[in-house]
Each structure stands twice: as C-alpha cells, then as structure tokens.
Amino acid sequence: MTTELLVKELVEKNGRCRNSLMPILQGIVQKEHYLSEEAMLSVAKELDLSAADVYGTASFYTFLDTVPRGKNVIRVCKTITCHMKGREEIIEAISNHLKIKVGETTHDKKFTLLTANCLGWCHKGPVMLINDEVYPELTPAKTVEILEKYGKEQ
Amino acid sequence: METKLKKVDIIFEDDKTISPIGILEKTIKRSADEIILDLIDSGLKGRGGAGFPTGLKWKFTRNEDSEVKYVICNADEGEPGTFKDREILDRVPEKIFTGMAICGYVIGAKEGYIYIRGEYNFLLKSIQAKLDKFNNEMKQKHIDFTIYLKSGSGAYVCGEESALFESMEGKRGEPRNKPPYPTVAGYNNKPTVINNVETLVYTTMICHMGPEKFKALGTTDSRGSKVFSVSGDTPIPGIYELELGMPLNKFVEEFGDGDAKAIQVGGASGHCVPRKKFNDTIIGFEGIPTGGSMMIFNSSRSMYNVLHDYLEFFTEESCGQCTPCRVGCQQLLKGIEAVKRGERSPSYLDDLKKLTNTMKIAAKCGLGQSVGNPFNSIVDNFREEIIY
C-alpha cells in the first residue's frame, strides 16, 4: 500500500480532526516503521494542518521516529534498576550479534537498536521491547535466542 | 510481637459475590452527593504521586456548569521504579472501568478515556476486548457512558495531567500553565476529572465496601492502603499492597537484603532516604509520599551512579519548553560530572543545590520542580560518594 493510501485509511478510521493526529501517526509508524517526509506532508494535507505542526508533534515523541528504522525496533531499558541487573551485558550481546551499535540499523533493515527510559519492569530487569512485545528477565544467551527467532522471520 | 507489615488485598481482590459492573449498578442508585461525601470521608488521596483528595476533585468538576465533561484515567505510568499500574491494567481492568463510569455518573460526563503509555502497547488488545464487553454491558443497562483507549508514544512528561491533554489533542506533550486546573478546563478545555489507575480502583472499592473499612487502614494523614512497586536490591521484588503510614525501617526489614544503605522513595523524582534515617521516616503524606516506587540500594551501589542515572533521565525527558527545567537539568548533570572529574571544587555542589531551588520556584510543571528532591537528598546524604 502506498503511503498516501495508508494515511487516507488511517484518517478514515480515526477521524479527520486534530485530536486524531496521534493515533494516525502511530498507525503509520506501525506499518512503515517511521514517519517519512511524504507521510507527514500527506497527514498535514488530510487534516488541514501545517506540515510544521505535524512535524512538531511527531518530533516530540520518542516512539514516533522521523528517521528510517528497521522492521524490528529493539529498545533496551537503561534506567537504574535494569542498569543494576546488567543492561550493559544485554546491549553488548545485541551489539555483537547484530553488529550494530546503539542508534544504528542493520544493513538488511531488519533491526534497529535503541535504549529507552524506564519500561516499567523494574522487578524483572533487564528488559527490552521488540516493537510492542516485551521481554523481561533477560540474560545475554536468552537475548540472542530471541533475536535469532526474529531474524528467521521474513 | 508481630513484625511483619500488614498486607492488604483490596485492589486485586477477586470477589465472587459481585462483579465490577454489579458495583457500578449498585452505586449509581445512590445520589452523586452521597458518593462524593463517602469519598471525602474515606480520606482517599490521589495515588499517582501528587496526593490531591479524590472526593474534592470530583466535587469541583461536578460543580462546573458545562454540557460536556470528561473522565480520564492516567495510565501513563512512567516514573522509574513504578510498575503497579501495568499490573492493575492487566489483572483488574474492569475495576478501573467501573471507577470511571461512577465518576462519569457523579460529575455528569458521558465519555471516558484511558491514556496508556506506549511502552504498554502489548496490553492494548486484551484491555480493548474487555473494554468492548464492558461498554456493551453499560449500553444494555442504559448507562450513558462510553470509555475509549488512547495510546502514548514514549514521553514521560505526558504523565503530567495537562501535558496528557495536549497529547490527546494531537499536540506536543508540553504542560500548560495552571490555573486553570483540569476540573475547570482540561481535555478540549472542558471540565475534566483525571485520576491515576490505582485511584480509580480505590473509588470503585470504596463505593463497594463503604468508606469505614478503607478509613480504618493507614494513619490520620494517609488513609487506606497503597500498591507499592518494590525493586532494586531485594530478594523479593514485585508488587505489594500495604497500609500507608508505615515506618521505613519496617519496610526495609521485610524487603531489604540485610545490607540496604538507601531507599529511593517515589522514583527518580522522589527522595533518597539513607540508612541512618530509616527509623524516623514514615511512608505517607505526613512523611515521604510515593506514587508507589520503592528502589532499594545496598552498600555495593554507587550513589553517584544512581544520581547520574536520574539526571540523565530528567535531561532526556524534560519537554524543553521552560528554561529552568531544560537548562537546569543539563547543568546539574554536567555539574556532578565536573565535580567527579575534579574540574570543579566540591563546593560547586552547593551552587547546584541553589539551582534546584530556582527550578523548584520557576519550572512550569512537576518535572522540573521535583528534580531537586533526588538531587538534594542524595548530595546531602552521600556527598563524599559524589565527590570522590
């Protein structure tokens, strides 16, 4: 589906008003993994907002990426309790396995590695999100296993 | 003598005799004023951290003259060390819906929204399914109230109520000036009750069991119980519903690993209590309040790292619209780094403490205003760890 069609569909579903901006942008990120300039311009046109207004909202939120991301976005919790429970080892395991650093995307565009502030699993750290799925109580070995599973998916 | 803390089972209680929707039907047979009086009488204060009396919030909104009003459940749980709302959303969402519907009846609102942080998106499917069922049941029983789900996108500051409204209106999550308060002009500038997840469940349960049973728990200033999120250096991390007003030393005895040197009460924006003050610290509105976060640090932990972590967190999560918070957070972080490296003298920490006072007065919202809590309590109690 083209970006323009996707935007039209999301506007249809959520309503043609400013209050629908967040769900519309969230819907685009879910399908295209980030908000391209084309997508934001097309939202602006549909909702009769200025492009700057749409970009202003989009750029405020960590989960509304405005740069290209991989199909699977990994967010490792970096807040204190996960830090204490070994988040560094988890990040290192992911980095080594995917050959990318934090903030980077793999060449095949399958994975992006990011860190995030408290994910709300402090009693079961270290923890990461892959897209919307949550993986608590990680060990480096368990983390690699999970990544291998995602790697096999088309 | 009984030394164990009293465990309470109100929030997650599985009462087979009455369903949440049964509680709703029973409650809306009473007058709105009676319900408000019960809530005020119960002494329930907001469980998100700020602690505003819930009954009064409902009363103020009820008194506003407006065709359109809203009930919003703040499920943007982002305070580091807090995870109790996720558990409540997952296990007993119907009790949240019921609290919202009772509130809708009391204040005269027809629409309710639950704003859930994006980090909890994996919960959306199951909550939506339960919500559809609940909305249908309300329709069948001719209760004119509908609840919708809204999702956040990873901004801590959106837990601040006016930033949350901005986000729901499709804008940047930047807090508004107050007044006007949400009870007068909230979502879409209409009178709005915005309550924390846990608060709404307590309203349901107080309507069910009466204010007396709730009031019997806790202390004069901190009535009732509270769900605590316990993490850090503890053999038993997790979620516990405990009586409010407990002495911190009792808490440490039960949850610590025997070597606790400090407890961070109330998350990154809360206060750090060192071991020597465990005995005379009360957890509650008369002592140190908390939205539920209890992080335990033992003597192997560097308090410099803890403070550094919190300041990094605030630097990233500051929305950036007001200068005291945007620049203040950065300067505090750079400041302790410079002192650690020896580029600044230890007395620079006192200048930074003055900066937190400025932030407390001049920052626009609770985020910037509360950075001084962890900063001052950690610097005052662990000064040598910050310097050397």
Side-chain angles (χ1 to χ4, degrees):
Chain A
M1 193 193 303
T2 64
T3 302
E4 212 188 318
L5 267 176
L6 173 67
V7 170
K8 279 208 160 83
E9 202 173 84
L10 285 165
V11 170
E12 246 2 271
K13 188 182 151 206
N14 292 288
R16 195 178 297 272
C17 61
R18 177 75 189 243
N19 284 11
S20 307
L21 183 56
M22 287 285 285
I24 292 169
L25 296 179
Q26 286 161 348
I28 299 169
V29 171
Q30 207 162 43
K31 284 266 161 30
E32 304 195 335
H33 317 302
Y34 86 112
L35 298 165
S36 61
E37 206 178 303
E38 188 199 349
M40 285 186 276
L41 286 171
S42 156
V43 172
K45 199 175 133 202
E46 289 290 330
L47 296 188
D48 195 20
L49 295 169
S50 77
D53 237 351
V54 175
Y55 179 72
T57 296
S59 58
F60 185 84
Y61 297 92
T62 321
F63 286 13
L64 299 179
D65 290 302
T66 48
V67 290
R69 299 292 192 201
K71 185 178 167 214
N72 300 298
V73 178
I74 307 167
R75 298 176 202 270
V76 183
C77 177
K78 63 172 182 170
T79 304
I80 188 73
T81 31
C82 282
H83 184 173
M84 286 157 59
K85 304 283 179 215
R87 71 152 191 227
E88 287 312 317
E89 286 81 14
I90 303 305
I91 293 175
E92 206 183 297
I94 300 170
S95 270
N96 287 340
H97 183 75
L98 299 175
K99 309 281 183 281
I100 49 171
K101 294 196 202 90
V102 174
E104 293 179 348
T105 301
T106 53
H107 284 298
D108 60 5
K109 304 270 186 290
K110 259 194 174 166
F111 292 98
T112 298
L113 173 58
L114 301 171
T115 54
N117 283 322
C118 192
L119 296 176
W121 290 86
C122 318
H123 57 324
K124 288 185 175 173
V127 58
M128 66 175 174
L129 285 177
I130 298 184
N131 308 325
D132 285 345
E133 281 308 305
V134 62
Y135 297 94
E137 294 177 311
L138 293 172
T139 61
K142 198 169 149 190
T143 308
V144 170
E145 243 174 68
I146 295 163
L147 293 181
E148 278 170 347
K149 204 186 79 199
Y150 276 86
K152 277 181 203 142
E153 284 170 15
Q154 278 316 302
Chain B
M1 206 175 90
E2 180 67 46
T3 56
K4 286 259 178 192
L5 286 170
K6 190 168 162 190
K7 303 275 194 309
V8 184
D9 186 24
I10 296 175
I11 293 279
F12 297 108
E13 185 200 18
D14 184 17
D15 190 341
K16 301 270 188 256
T17 59
I18 188 161
S19 67
I21 201 129
I23 297 175
L24 174 60
E25 278 189 285
K26 183 180 87 173
T27 306
I28 59 173
K29 285 189 185 126
R30 306 175 59 203
S31 80
D33 290 324
E34 267 180 337
I35 298 170
I36 287 177
L37 278 180
D38 266 6
L39 284 181
I40 294 174
D41 184 35
S42 74
L44 175 65
K45 291 180 182 172
R47 294 297 195 243
F52 192 82
T54 308
L56 285 181
K57 197 183 260 189
W58 289 22
K59 188 178 167 188
F60 293 156
T61 316
R62 173 174 164 76
N63 290 345
E64 285 300 314
D65 188 19
S66 171
E67 280 285 302
V68 180
K69 295 179 186 178
Y70 298 105
V71 180
I72 293 177
C73 168
N74 185 345
D76 194 48
E77 175 178 57
E79 189 64 47
T82 319
F83 40 92
K84 46 115 189 157
D85 290 342
R86 172 177 50 72
E87 201 82 6
I88 298 171
L89 287 160
D90 194 21
R91 286 165 58 187
V92 287
E94 291 87 354
K95 288 188 184 177
I96 306 170
F97 309 155
T98 299
M100 293 176 73
I102 293 173
C103 182
Y105 164 74
V106 167
I107 67 166
K110 294 186 172 57
E111 276 178 42
Y113 292 89
I114 306 178
Y115 184 98
I116 303 184
R117 68 190 303 225
E119 289 84 343
Y120 295 168
N121 276 350
F122 59 91
L123 287 174
L124 290 178
K125 226 184 224 165
S126 86
I127 296 177
Q128 187 67 58
K130 289 172 188 163
L131 186 56
D132 289 343
K133 194 168 159 244
F134 197 88
N135 278 334
N136 262 333
E137 278 182 293
M138 282 199 291
K139 206 181 260 171
Q140 281 164 17
K141 295 181 195 304
H142 306 290
I143 301 168
D144 189 10
F145 191 73
T146 314
I147 302 172
Y148 306 91
L149 284 185
K150 288 263 179 183
S151 181
S153 271
Y156 166 74
V157 74
C158 288
E160 199 278 342
E161 51 195 21
S162 63
L164 189 148
F165 303 144
E166 291 287 302
S167 177
M168 281 180 54
E169 292 171 16
K171 301 173 197 149
R172 295 168 70 84
E174 291 173 350
R176 300 173 182 169
N177 279 321
K178 288 181 200 175
Y181 292 98
T183 52
V184 178
Y187 178 50
N188 289 338
N189 278 322
K190 300 292 181 198
T192 304
V193 162
I194 176 162
N195 279 141
N196 171 260
V197 172
E198 184 186 345
T199 312
L200 285 164
V201 176
Y202 276 124
T203 60
T204 303
M205 297 315 284
I206 289 167
C207 289
H208 172 48
M209 66 192 190
E212 298 303 328
K213 213 174 147 190
F214 184 80
K215 218 163 72 172
L217 297 165
T219 58
T220 319
D221 292 319
S222 309
R223 297 285 186 202
S225 50
K226 164 105 198 67
V227 184
F228 288 89
S229 314
V230 184
S231 68
D233 294 309
T234 166
I236 43 169
I239 285 154
Y240 299 90
E241 189 175 1
L242 304 167
E243 232 182 320
L244 270 181
M246 63 179 165
L248 188 56
N249 57 344
K250 284 266 170 70
F251 174 85
V252 175
E253 263 170 44
E254 193 156 332
F255 292 97
D257 62 356
D259 187 29
K261 86 165 168 187
I263 314 289
Q264 181 74 19
V265 181
S269 66
H271 295 262
C272 180
V273 185
R275 185 185 288 153
K276 63 175 185 280
K277 290 182 188 160
F278 287 171
N279 279 335
D280 38 48
T281 299
I282 298 289
I283 302 304
F285 298 107
E286 67 269 57
I288 299 186
T290 169
S293 171
M294 302 291 276
M295 290 189 258
I296 306 176
F297 302 110
N298 70 19
S299 57
S300 75
R301 306 294 176 189
S302 151
M303 295 313 285
Y304 173 82
N305 284 348
V306 172
L307 181 58
H308 192 272
D309 209 274
Y310 292 159
L311 292 175
E312 249 182 16
F313 172 78
F314 287 121
T315 305
E316 283 177 21
E317 296 295 345
S318 168
C319 80
Q321 75 167 317
C322 80
T323 313
C325 177
R326 181 184 67 247
V327 180
C329 290
Q330 289 170 8
Q331 290 306 314
L332 292 175
L333 177 61
K334 283 184 185 164
I336 64 160
E337 286 174 346
V339 170
K340 192 72 169 179
R341 286 195 302 262
E343 287 163 12
R344 288 278 193 172
S345 77
S347 68
Y348 187 57
L349 290 175
D350 300 315
D351 294 333
L352 294 176
K353 281 178 64 182
K354 281 186 203 152
L355 173 60
T356 66
N357 278 336
T358 308
M359 291 168 72
K360 190 168 183 178
I361 297 162
K364 196 166 172 180
C365 81
L367 193 155
Q369 288 161 10
S370 59
V371 178
N373 297 340
F375 190 87
N376 294 325
S377 57
I378 294 179
V379 167
D380 286 344
N381 291 303
F382 299 96
R383 198 177 171 96
E384 53 308 324
E385 286 192 39
I386 306 299
I387 300 168
Y388 304 108

